[in-house]
C-alpha cells in the first residue's frame, strides 16, 4: 500500500476582471480628502490649525 499524503485543498485563484477601469469612480474623482476640516465656530480648532500649518520659518 502507498502512504502518500492526501493532497491539500487549493485556494481559489482571484478571478480576472476585464471591465473598463475608466468606467469606475476612483478616489481622485471626488473632492474627499482635499483638506476639508469639520466646520464650526471653534476658536481652539482654528488656533490648532494655524499652529499645525504654520511654516517653520514663522516659529
Amino acid at each position: 500500500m502507498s502512504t502518500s499524503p492526501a493532497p491539500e485543498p487549493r485556494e481559489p485563484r482571484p478571478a480576472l476582471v476585464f471591465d473598463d477601469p475608466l468606467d469606475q469612480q476612483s478616489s481622485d474623482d471626488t473632492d474627499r480628502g482635499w483638506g476639508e476640516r469639520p466646520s464650526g465656530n471653534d476658536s481652539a480648532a482654528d488656533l490648532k490649525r494655524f499652529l499645525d500649518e504654520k511654516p517653520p520659518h514663522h516659529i
Side-chain angles (χ1 to χ4, degrees):
M1 261 208 253
S2 172
T3 58
S4 63
E8 295 181 17
R10 294 183 182 179
E11 294 183 20
R13 291 183 177 177
L16 295 176
V17 179
F18 293 101
D19 294 339
D20 186 5
L22 299 178
D23 287 341
Q24 301 170 4
Q25 186 178 28
S26 70
S27 60
D28 290 343
D29 294 335
T30 64
D31 288 335
R32 186 175 182 175
W34 285 91
E36 298 91 14
R37 296 198 180 242
S39 62
N41 296 332
D42 188 10
S43 60
D46 290 340
L47 177 62
K48 181 177 179 343
R49 179 179 178 188
F50 172 74
L51 294 174
D52 288 345
E53 295 180 359
K54 186 171 30 171
H57 60 274
H58 285 123
I59 294 180

